[in-house]
């Protein structure tokens, strides 16, 4: 059925010191060494990237950042650029997470700029989108994710689309313990793939991975990951425990 290799990423958010991050990375490396059925990444805080990249060097677990700025360098106090992330060993960068949209003024336009900047320096962006509970209740889910897609993908041409992952993260499912049902998630993933087909053609749309995020746990991972258009997971809380994250990785369809 699905031809896409599944991809599980852990978003550690603003958790763990550098030494705690290194310790978690080392545990994951030991637990997942030799696991070859999916792509795996962890996204620690900026300050822990170097230590985690060091702990995971030569392993199957890649490293990603949780954000980036779109300029390469300059007078932008407090920001981190794509080339800096590449230099520290990142392969991925999350862009447009709902927490950044909610608390840090991220817009569809700035998400698009960050995604394009990530691609320009060789990173693989994980573009997050998803509706709020209010938007879902109003029946606006498809309109919202369509608008978010248009913003995020405005600067992404056909030559770069192969390096992009989407993470569908309904805001009402993030950190709440209430995940979208596999059917609810599949419905939106299928819709997103349809939008990708319109913009980039069927081959590119079929190849692009769409992760689900929002209260993914070892107990619900297998059901979610068995849906035809769910190609992985972006895991928050459960990625902070090595046993839970490893169990989610092992739930990938083979
Ligand atoms: P939780 O898994 O904690 O719900 O968080 C999901 C998320 O926001 C991942 O980016």
């Amino acid at each position: 059925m699905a031809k896409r290799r599944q991809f599980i990423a852990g978003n550690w958010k603003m958790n763990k010191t550098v030494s705690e991050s290194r310790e978690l990375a080392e545990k994951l490396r030991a637990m997942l060494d030799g696991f070859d059925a999916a792509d795996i990444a962890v996204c620690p805080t900026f300050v822990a990237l170097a230590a985690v990249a060091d702990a995971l060097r030569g392993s199957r677990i890649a490293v990603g950042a949780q954000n980036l700025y779109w300029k390469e360098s300059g007078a932008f106090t407090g920001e981190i650029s794509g080339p800096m992330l590449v230099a520290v060993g990142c392969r991925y960068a999350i862009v447009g997470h709902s927490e950044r949209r909610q608390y840090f003024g991220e817009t569809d336009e700035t998400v698009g700029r960050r995604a394009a900047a990530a691609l320009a320096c060789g990173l693989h962006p994980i573009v997050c989108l998803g509706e709020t509970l209010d938007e879902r209740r109003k029946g606006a889910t498809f309109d919202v994710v369509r608008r978010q897609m248009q913003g995020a993908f405005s600067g992404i041409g056909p030559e770069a689309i192969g390096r992009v992952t989407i993470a569908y993260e309904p805001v009402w499912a993030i950190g709440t313990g209430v995940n979208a049902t596999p059917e609810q998630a599949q419905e939106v993933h299928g819709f997103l793939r349809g939008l990708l087909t319109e913009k980039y053609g069927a081959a590119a749309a079929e190849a692009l991975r769409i992760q689900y995020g929002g209260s993914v746990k070892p107990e619900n991972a297998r059901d979610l990951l068995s849906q035809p258009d769910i190609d992985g997971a972006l895991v928050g809380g459960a990625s902070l425990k090595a046993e839970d994250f490893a169990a989610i990785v092992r739930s990938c369809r083979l």
Side-chain angles (χ1 to χ4, degrees):
M1 189 187 37
K3 309 133 272 240
R4 296 170 293 275
R5 185 174 161 81
Q6 291 196 311
F7 174 28
I8 307 293
N11 175 8
W12 294 359
K13 306 191 181 183
M14 196 178 74
N15 291 291
K16 302 208 177 274
T17 63
V18 174
S19 59
E20 289 165 350
S21 299
R22 178 187 286 276
E23 197 180 317
L24 177 55
E26 284 167 355
K27 266 197 199 166
L28 288 172
R29 181 175 191 148
M31 295 177 104
L32 292 168
D33 204 29
F35 185 88
D36 187 33
D39 290 340
I40 311 167
V42 292
C43 304
T45 64
F46 286 128
V47 291
L49 283 170
V52 169
D54 183 49
L56 296 175
R57 189 159 296 119
S59 79
R60 305 199 43 81
I61 307 174
V63 178
Q66 297 174 18
N67 191 23
L68 79 163
Y69 190 51
W70 52 82
K71 299 282 191 180
E72 289 196 4
S73 63
F76 304 103
T77 301
E79 294 303 303
I80 305 281
S81 75
M84 293 171 186
L85 298 177
V86 172
V88 83
C90 285
R91 176 177 173 86
Y92 298 99
I94 297 171
V95 300
H97 193 280
S98 68
E99 287 148 17
R100 297 219 57 87
R101 295 177 191 258
Q102 193 179 347
Y103 305 127
F104 303 103
E106 194 81 71
T107 65
D108 294 332
E109 196 232 324
T110 58
V111 175
R113 294 177 85 158
R114 291 183 212 280
L119 288 164
C121 68
L123 288 164
H124 293 57
I126 301 174
V127 178
C128 301
L129 43 82
E131 81 288 0
T132 63
L133 186 58
D134 196 41
E135 289 162 340
R136 174 161 282 262
R137 285 195 176 132
K138 284 189 194 135
T141 297
F142 290 152
D143 289 342
V144 169
V145 298
R146 183 192 289 112
R147 190 202 71 221
Q148 292 173 329
M149 279 260 312
Q150 280 164 353
F153 284 74
S154 58
I156 303 179
E159 73 295 340
I161 191 68
R163 272 189 287 135
V164 179
T165 297
I166 293 177
Y168 168 59
E169 300 204 305
V171 178
W172 49 272
I174 295 177
T176 59
V178 182
N179 58 287
T181 65
E183 295 72 26
Q184 283 174 321
Q186 168 59 32
E187 186 185 29
V188 178
H189 285 226
F191 176 75
L192 293 172
R193 204 171 306 283
L195 295 179
L196 289 166
T197 306
E198 282 169 25
K199 187 163 160 82
Y200 297 101
E206 278 303 307
L208 190 146
R209 294 184 291 198
I210 307 178
Q211 297 174 320
Y212 166 77
S215 297
V216 176
K217 303 176 272 268
E219 302 79 55
N220 60 22
R222 196 170 298 275
D223 280 352
L224 286 159
L225 293 168
S226 64
Q227 295 293 313
D229 287 297
I230 300 186
D231 309 311
L234 185 56
V235 186
S239 73
L240 298 172
K241 292 197 201 110
E243 295 75 15
D244 287 359
F245 188 67
I248 292 167
V249 169
R250 290 200 198 91
S251 305
C252 285
R253 63 183 181 229
L254 299 175

